[in-house]
Every structure is written in structure tokens, then in C-alpha cells.
Amino acid sequence: MRRSYEFLDHPGPIPFAHRGGASGRPENSMAAFQRATDLGYRYLETDAHATADGVVVAFHDRTLDRVTDRTGAIARLPWAEVARARIGGTEPIPRLEDVLGSFPEARVNIDLKDAPVIGPLAETLRRTRAWNRVCITSFSTRGWRRCAPGSPWSPTTRCAWRSARAA
């Protein structure tokens, strides 16, 4: 019997807007996510990090250095400091909660980048009630084990990840 997962209920290939799709917009910015949804993308991809005070941000790198006008490790900075950074010098780093809230019809693939994001991410998903429209991924097997049974992840989210990775 084949199980069905809401996240994956799309006929045929699933195009993802990686890091928001960018398309001339700074990666992982609200402008990039908006452009992707305007183009018809139903699936967005982003990475998640937690600030020192537990705010989950949609951002690829561990540090601000590569794509923003600021420097420093996100995990060591409070949200107030990270919020001042501008991607490409123009766009603020979005909170994941804002991405989920602004695009309620979008399915979002979230790549866990560091273990400290797991608890804050689970709380963000609880608050936004986005469990059935996200897929939690990680390139780190160790990181994924932390999200295994007994963790706060719902069976749908966890199984959707396993199904997507197994395919």
C-alpha cells in the first residue's frame, strides 16, 4: 500500500524554487519568494538557522558574510542584529514564520542547517500550523536523527521527508 503525504500530492515532477528562486532577486529574500509564487511555483525551498535568541530565519549560510552587508554567525547574534542585515544590500533576512505566513498556499522544503534550529523550528511550525505543508530535510544524517521518532516532528512531516529522499 502506497502512503499519501499532503506535501507530495502533486501530479508529475515537482519544480522547487531553490532559495526562493531568486530570478533577479536576492536569494532567500521575501522578494525572491514573492517572485517565485508570482511565476506559479507551489513549492519553495529554503534553509533554516536560529538566532542566539531562538528566532528561525530563512537563510542559507551560517554567517551573514557572503550575501549581506554585515558579518557574524547567525547562531551567535540576536534577532535584532540579524534583522539589520540586508541581503544584496537591499533585502532584509526573513523570519521563517513570515515566509510561511505570507505564502499560505506554498509547500516549503526546509533544510535544517544546524542542530540548534530544531527546537525553535518545531515551535515555529506549531505556531503557524504549517506541519502538513512543509518537508524537513537535512544533508546531515546526524541532524536528521535528531528529528526522528520521539522528537516533536509530526509523522507526516517526518515521513514526507523520508519518502522524498527515498524517491
Side-chain angles (χ1 to χ4, degrees), residues 38-151:
D38 289 348
L39 289 171
Y41 281 86
R42 286 185 54 210
Y43 289 80
L44 305 174
E45 184 277 343
T46 191
D47 305 273
H49 289 279
T51 62
D53 49 355
V55 175
V56 180
V57 296
F59 197 74
H60 180 267
D61 301 353
R62 289 179 184 204
T63 69
L64 300 174
D65 305 28
R66 181 177 66 89
V67 297
T68 77
D69 55 3
R70 300 216 175 223
T71 61
I74 291 171
R76 293 187 175 157
L77 298 169
W79 166 242
E81 181 81 20
V82 173
R84 288 189 213 118
R86 293 294 177 261
I87 308 165
T90 60
E91 296 290 326
I93 295 171
R95 295 179 319 147
L96 183 62
E97 188 164 339
D98 294 333
V99 173
L100 295 170
S102 296
F103 307 103
E105 300 302 314
R107 311 286 172 89
V108 183
N109 184 92
I110 303 169
D111 187 6
L112 300 179
K113 290 299 197 173
D114 293 309
V117 75
I118 293 170
L121 177 58
E123 181 54 36
T124 297
L125 295 177
R126 261 194 284 280
R127 260 195 326 275
T128 60
R129 298 175 185 215
W131 290 108
N132 291 335
R133 62 187 187 95
V134 301
C135 181
I136 307 300
T137 63
S138 179
F139 282 105
S140 163
T141 304
R142 239 179 51 204
W144 180 244
R145 278 191 207 123
R146 291 187 174 124
C147 297
S151 71

